[in-house]
Amino acid sequence: MIEHHTHHTGAGALSRPRRVLLATAAVGAALTLAATGCARGEDDVAAGNAAAGDTEGQAQVLDDAASGGQTCNAQGHGIEPFDLADKKVGFSQSEAESNPFRITETQSIKDEAADRGVELITSNAQSDFSQQISDVQDLMSQGAEVLIIAPLNSDGWKPVLDQARADAIPIITIDRPINGTACEDYVTFIGSDFVEQGRRAADQMIDVLGGEGEVAILLGAPGNNVTTDRTSGFLERIEAEAPGIEIVFQQSGDFTREGGQSVTEQLIQSQPDISGIYAQNDEMGIGAVTALNGAGKAPGDVRIVTVDGTQAAVEYIVDGWIAAVVESNPRFGPLAFEAASAFGAGEDVGTQLIITDREYDADNAEEELPHAY
């Protein structure tokens, strides 16, 4: 049996061992987890705030209502129960660890493996999907017996899924899903509801613009399900709730700071009176701030709403450049390993584990800054 703990909200540091909430309900109910994750951001963040240790305020916490009722266990997946401590775990990162989200995500996986004494082997595909497929196959050839994958794309995984199924290797995906059959191709997906993130970003934009104005969207990478979902949620909510807001510009900044700056520089030329910018991640939003500042705009002249929750973006809220940030929490290590451990022990694990995400705005940014990554 796994010990149950009461979860308290707040930012107080926790002592080791890490407190974990794991409620394994009857078949048909989702696995509910809430665990603390160690914050790791850019180098200065890692050397500074993260040194204070894990806090519950930084934890990923599951949204029971959004997670659904389908479950998976080792027997149903056709895998013999196992003790995770005896297994070699492979982690495949999809993108270069050059932005705070990926840095934090990878470090969270490494920290949790170390805390549990689990052998971990890792790879990084550097945003090359064919390389990621090869990476995961190589992890299996190196003896990985459990896989945690942060997929670059959702489609195209059949070679990996077929091999993992043949070798009885369970797969947990984080951040982005893999398109396949739950409890046949993979155990669970752990991540945010990206459509809901788009809706919440729209709510923030409607609020800061008073429901009126012209808005530009800095899109993420083309063809990426995160881009598609964060766009559809935003447009859906604007259309339903704010007919006075007009979307006048949409262009991809590829989820990069440089892309956000370049696209915003073009935007200023074509739409000099733009009221708001919805940047689909913080890096593009920060690039937009650089472009606006360079064009002589003052903080608040253009209201910017972003998604991620990096310390740099939240600090820009404090400075007045960014109006609001919808969090996308990358600290997947505790939940991923707890799900793998429960699955190995023969317990039911929800096949879709949706996490809750906080929001930062002018009212709470300074107080909540320690929770950013």
Side-chain angles (χ1 to χ4, degrees):
M1 294 295 293
I2 297 177
E3 184 179 359
H4 292 242
H5 297 278
T6 303
H7 178 71
H8 302 278
T9 58
L14 300 181
S15 59
R16 303 286 185 182
R18 187 191 313 278
R19 294 199 308 182
V20 178
L21 171 68
L22 171 57
T24 309
V27 175
L31 174 76
T32 304
L33 302 153
T36 59
C38 186
R40 291 294 190 277
E42 295 170 292
D43 291 344
D44 58 334
V45 176
N49 292 339
D54 299 350
T55 73
E56 274 190 77
Q58 296 167 339
Q60 286 186 337
V61 179
L62 292 186
D63 183 340
D64 295 346
S67 293
Q70 184 178 359
T71 64
C72 181
N73 59 39
Q75 182 179 9
H77 203 306
I79 293 175
E80 290 293 322
F82 58 85
D83 184 344
L84 184 63
D86 299 330
K87 296 294 185 181
K88 181 186 289 188
V89 175
F91 171 58
S92 170
Q93 177 59 274
S94 57
E95 298 177 359
E97 286 148 28
S98 57
N99 70 63
F101 186 97
R102 295 302 171 187
I103 293 169
T104 306
E105 182 176 67
T106 296
Q107 193 62 51
S108 178
I109 296 292
K110 290 180 176 179
D111 287 348
E112 189 66 18
D115 285 353
R116 290 172 175 266
V118 174
E119 183 179 359
L120 180 72
I121 52 177
T122 66
S123 63
N124 191 308
Q126 305 292 326
S127 299
D128 182 332
F129 182 65
S130 62
Q131 182 62 50
Q132 188 170 34
I133 296 298
S134 296
D135 283 350
V136 178
Q137 291 171 328
D138 187 53
L139 290 172
M140 288 189 280
S141 72
Q142 292 180 59
E145 301 162 286
V146 176
L147 290 171
I148 300 172
I149 301 174
L152 184 64
N153 298 326
S154 295
D155 293 322
W157 284 93
K158 189 175 188 303
V160 164
L161 300 179
D162 288 348
Q163 183 179 344
R165 189 185 311 111
D167 294 342
I169 299 173
I171 293 174
I172 291 171
T173 71
I174 60 173
D175 179 34
R176 297 171 187 168
I178 286 175
N179 289 332
T181 302
C183 212
E184 180 179 324
D185 295 317
Y186 63 90
V187 174
T188 187
F189 160 68
I190 307 171
S192 299
D193 182 335
F194 301 123
V195 174
E196 183 62 19
Q197 287 177 342
R199 295 188 190 110
R200 293 170 67 190
D203 290 339
Q204 291 283 2
M205 186 66 75
I206 293 167
D207 183 55
V208 298
L209 292 184
E212 301 284 341
E214 297 183 341
V215 169
I217 302 177
L218 305 188
L219 301 165
N224 188 299
N225 73 301
V226 179
T227 300
T228 302
D229 288 352
R230 287 179 182 169
T231 302
S232 65
F234 187 85
L235 294 177
E236 168 199 304
R237 187 60 57 86
I238 292 294
E239 181 179 356
E241 302 292 340
I245 290 180
E246 182 182 3
I247 309 301
V248 297
F249 181 98
Q250 297 186 54
Q251 189 167 325
S252 173
D254 261 334
F255 284 133
T256 68
R257 191 174 300 196
E258 296 77 15
Q261 179 177 345
S262 174
V263 170
T264 303
E265 288 169 349
Q266 299 172 42
L267 168 67
I268 295 167
Q269 294 298 317
S270 63
Q271 304 284 345
D273 298 323
I274 195 76
S275 307
I277 294 174
Y278 165 42
Q280 293 185 340
N281 78 338
D282 285 354
E283 288 294 283
M284 292 191 297
I286 292 168
V289 169
T290 301
L292 293 169
N293 189 32
K297 299 285 189 181
D301 284 353
V302 179
R303 310 314 298 273
I304 301 173
V305 176
T306 72
V307 181
D308 264 348
T310 64
Q311 289 212 350
V314 178
E315 285 168 353
Y316 271 127
I317 297 177
V318 176
D319 294 340
W321 280 105
I322 291 179
V325 175
V326 176
E327 181 188 57
S328 195
N329 193 335
R331 303 177 183 99
F332 288 97
L335 290 184
F337 277 87
E338 195 65 56
S341 178
F343 174 82
E347 298 173 16
D348 295 319
V349 175
T351 58
Q352 178 174 268
L353 303 176
I354 303 303
I355 63 174
T356 63
D357 295 303
R358 76 181 73 243
E359 294 180 5
Y360 301 93
D361 57 28
D363 292 333
N364 71 358
E366 191 164 4
E367 178 184 356
E368 297 286 337
L369 183 58
H371 299 156
Y373 57 90

